[in-house]
Amino acid sequence: ISNLKKGWYIFSIAKQGNNFTWKINESEMLTLQSPEMNTKLHANASSIVVNDVPGSPLPANFEIAWVKCYRKK
């Protein structure tokens, strides 16, 4: 994601049946559809850099202010 700037962001993950959608500030970043997604999920927040990012000050970290989990009725 190349256009992120400093500040706060709301990362959302929505699962509905076989669909799994990831959003940042309500903008859809990725949607996956797979029968394997129709199972219970577990939350895990982590940061990983697999390649050098030119001009990026590494190592980097992130802060999580809060986590909210809910189930639609």
Side-chain angles (χ1 to χ4, degrees):
I1 305 167
S2 61
N3 60 348
L4 290 181
K5 298 186 179 9
K6 290 184 179 181
W8 295 98
Y9 294 89
I10 298 174
F11 292 83
S12 305
I13 299 171
K15 178 185 164 300
Q16 186 173 9
N18 295 339
N19 294 325
F20 186 82
T21 304
W22 179 45
K23 297 179 181 180
I24 299 177
N25 293 345
E26 292 301 316
S27 294
E28 189 174 307
M29 298 288 121
L30 177 69
T31 297
L32 300 174
Q33 184 177 30
S34 173
E36 290 83 22
M37 294 294 195
N38 198 10
T39 186
K40 291 182 180 181
L41 299 178
H42 304 275
N44 180 14
S46 63
S47 174
I48 185 169
V49 178
V50 294
N51 294 317
D52 286 333
V53 180
S56 177
L58 294 175
N61 59 27
F62 65 97
E63 178 182 335
I64 297 174
W66 52 270
V67 175
K68 178 180 177 182
C69 300
Y70 61 94
R71 181 183 301 202
K72 291 185 177 184
K73 292 183 178 184

